[in-house]
Amino acid sequence: MPTVYLFDGTQSGTADGSYSDPYDLSNVSSADTAAQVGGTVIFKDGNYTMNANLTLGSVDNVNYQGESKNGVTITSSVQGGSGYQLQLGAGNFKSFTVSNLKFVDTGGSTGKSGVLVRTESNQRITIKECTFLNLFANFHCVFGRSNPSTNYSGTGLESTLTVQNCVIELADAGSATAGDNPRLHRLRDTATASGIFTGNTIYQKGTTAHLFKSVSTQHTIKNNSFVADTST
């Protein structure tokens, strides 16, 4: 299967996704198309800036990965409730894997979640060996979708997500109020939200981050470490 590359600069007009002539961050969709079903998109080591929401998953079974461990950092150019966000899954619902990427100061209000997740029944998004620092989870959840207006198919969706061996730091609960604090994983719909969370280190900052207060009971939660920090 093809392997396609991204880098943290501005691509040439003839970029072909090779290691020597990679796509830039604003052309992830071109990388998806070049990788094809079952291919790999590699983020070359560097510091990337998101000037818009970053959507991964427009092609089925693509593996998105950093070139080396801790070598790729992706930051939103705007932080907080108006910040840019990692969005996993497009309107046609795909299965894919994201690994070895670090996101710093990302997250915003779209879908009212830190990382917006869109999947469909029998399809799964896997996040492994990634880091999320100073993640802004506006209103309702760290991973998932809490705003029905972001649904593509209305009802009957199933959010299936695996988060494995990641470091997750929730920095701000946005405008959440007592009794409606951010969950670790949530799908606001008539569907089932299932998640597998194993081997993660989760930093809970502030008093409003109730990470496992989910609307679903179909979670597998094993071997995670939790660090509470109520000083902020």
Side-chain angles (χ1 to χ4, degrees):
M1 297 298 176
T3 297
V4 181
Y5 293 88
L6 296 165
F7 81 131
D8 61 353
T10 301
Q11 71 181 52
S12 70
T14 58
D16 58 11
S18 63
Y19 192 86
S20 59
D21 195 12
Y23 296 111
D24 60 27
L25 193 62
S26 65
N27 285 280
V28 170
S29 60
S30 296
D32 288 343
T33 300
Q36 305 175 27
V37 175
T40 299
V41 175
I42 295 179
F43 290 71
K44 295 178 69 173
D45 287 351
N47 298 310
Y48 296 73
T49 299
M50 295 166 53
N51 293 309
N53 290 336
L54 175 62
T55 300
L56 303 180
S58 62
V59 174
D60 205 13
N61 289 317
V62 170
N63 176 33
Y64 301 91
Q65 64 184 57
E67 183 177 16
S68 66
K69 187 173 180 61
N70 298 320
V72 177
T73 299
I74 302 173
T75 305
S76 172
S77 61
V78 179
Q79 283 82 50
S82 299
Y84 298 117
Q85 175 187 60
L86 175 62
Q87 300 186 353
L88 301 178
N92 47 0
F93 306 107
K94 304 297 183 182
S95 298
F96 56 93
T97 299
V98 180
S99 62
N100 223 20
L101 299 177
K102 178 189 290 186
F103 294 87
V104 181
D105 294 327
T106 63
S109 61
T110 306
K112 300 182 178 178
S113 57
V115 178
L116 183 63
V117 177
R118 297 178 171 121
T119 60
E120 196 171 49
S121 182
N122 299 318
Q123 296 177 327
R124 178 170 294 280
I125 294 172
T126 300
I127 305 172
K128 58 183 181 181
E129 303 290 344
C130 288
T131 299
F132 300 89
L133 298 181
N134 207 34
L135 179 68
F136 189 95
N138 196 330
F139 288 93
H140 291 298
C141 63
V142 180
F143 296 102
R145 178 177 67 250
S146 288
N147 188 344
S149 67
T150 63
N151 291 349
Y152 281 109
S153 299
T155 61
L157 304 183
E158 180 180 357
S159 178
T160 51
L161 174 71
T162 296
V163 182
Q164 182 178 6
N165 299 330
C166 293
V167 175
I168 304 161
E169 178 190 68
L170 176 63
D172 198 330
S175 301
T177 57
D180 194 21
N181 299 313
R183 287 80 165 141
L184 181 65
H185 182 217
R186 184 184 182 191
L187 176 66
R188 186 175 176 181
D189 203 340
T190 60
T192 300
S194 60
I196 300 172
F197 298 87
T198 61
N200 302 291
T201 300
I202 301 168
Y203 293 88
Q204 181 177 341
K205 299 181 69 176
T207 59
T208 62
H210 295 177
L211 296 181
F212 282 106
K213 186 178 180 182
S214 176
V215 297
S216 172
T217 59
Q218 299 188 39
H219 286 94
T220 300
I221 302 166
K222 298 190 302 183
N223 301 322
N224 297 283
S225 298
F226 300 89
V227 181
D229 179 4
T230 59
S231 63
T232 60

